[in-house]
Amino acid sequence: MTIFPSSLTSPQAGCQGCRQSEPLGFDFSFAYQPIVDLRDQSIFANEALVRGVNGEGAMSILAHVTDDNRYRFDQLCRTRAIEGAAALNMQTHLSINFMPNAVYRPELCIRSTLEAAKKYDFPINRLIFETLESQPVDNYRHLTNILREYREFGFKTAIDDFGAGYSGLNLLADFQPDLIKLDMALIRDVDRDRVRQAIVRGIVTICAELNVTVIAEGIESAGERDFLADCGIFLMQGYWFAKPAFKALAQVTPEAWTR
């Protein structure tokens, strides 16, 4: 049974950001893209990707996010992603991107997420929170604190776009998440690029020693898939397996598994 702390789900809970956040002023929805497990040809998780209400791309929505409304947007992303996953009867993990700069106090800002999980009967141990390494972070210690707090609540944690952005190995040295997602720039044509191959093998070795699971994202060819599998990476995401499905769960074609 999942226990939701009453101090965090009560109407009185919340921080200043909750009370003073500006109205959003625009609407949005989600597409879901699978993260597959090559070992048994299953779906490990589905990532919630923000879209316009008619399926427009993410940038059409993110362009409207400002310092004044990013807290409300971040909170609504969490609750709507969970609501959508429950409506689709998602049985896998659900991966949700979050904005570190929109979290004031993680133990209070998580309230609406816990409420949504309870309302829609979605187990919190199947929620993954991804932070974008490519997003500038106002307070580095604040980010690691958020990740530690989320782990305490029973969520899985992930660093997205690893190798692309502002934190990299420094963040991994200070906090070891459950998962890291290798940036697609490292993945592109990795089967034909010995420099990228060396970097990927090095990251896999480090993560194995730290007990961090590696996900490769942006897979677009059988060659990329096969090289990464030979490196010991079995969780993958990309168009080779399935494109994001708007308000739906994408299906992986049998050919995507064939070696």
Side-chain angles (χ1 to χ4, degrees), residues 157-178:
T157 58
I159 301 173
D160 196 8
D161 296 336
F162 188 83
Y166 292 82
S167 303
L169 293 174
N170 288 331
L171 178 56
L172 186 61
D174 285 346
F175 178 81
Q176 295 76 54
D178 299 286

Side-chain angles (χ1 to χ4, degrees), residues 162 169 172 180 182 197-214 231-233:
F162 188 83
L169 293 174
L172 186 61
I180 65 165
L182 293 183
Q197 291 173 7
I199 293 171
V200 168
R201 288 192 185 104
I203 294 173
V204 169
T205 299
I206 292 169
C207 288
E209 188 165 338
L210 298 177
N211 197 30
V212 175
T213 300
V214 178
C231 287
I233 300 175

Side-chain angles (χ1 to χ4, degrees), residues 106-193:
E107 76 278 12
L108 297 180
C109 293
I110 203 66
R111 174 179 58 89
S112 62
T113 306
L114 293 171
E115 289 176 344
K118 182 178 182 180
K119 178 179 179 180
Y120 299 109
D121 196 26
F122 199 95
I124 60 175
N125 62 2
R126 285 204 276 118
L127 290 175
I128 303 170
F129 279 101
E130 298 184 20
T131 179
L132 294 176
E133 190 203 1
S134 55
Q135 180 187 20
V137 177
D138 292 340
N139 188 323
Y140 179 72
R141 289 187 177 181
H142 181 53
L143 171 57
T144 57
N145 181 53
I146 292 169
L147 293 170
R148 290 190 179 95
E149 289 278 356
Y150 283 5
R151 175 173 285 170
E152 288 295 318
F153 281 113
F155 306 127
K156 287 183 171 59
T157 58
I159 301 173
D160 196 8
D161 296 336
F162 188 83
Y166 292 82
S167 303
L169 293 174
N170 288 331
L171 178 56
L172 186 61
D174 285 346
F175 178 81
Q176 295 76 54
D178 299 286
L179 307 146
I180 65 165
K181 298 179 74 175
L182 293 183
D183 183 68
M184 65 177 62
L186 279 176
I187 300 305
R188 189 61 56 245
D189 296 325
V190 67
D191 53 312
R192 296 180 289 170
D193 188 323

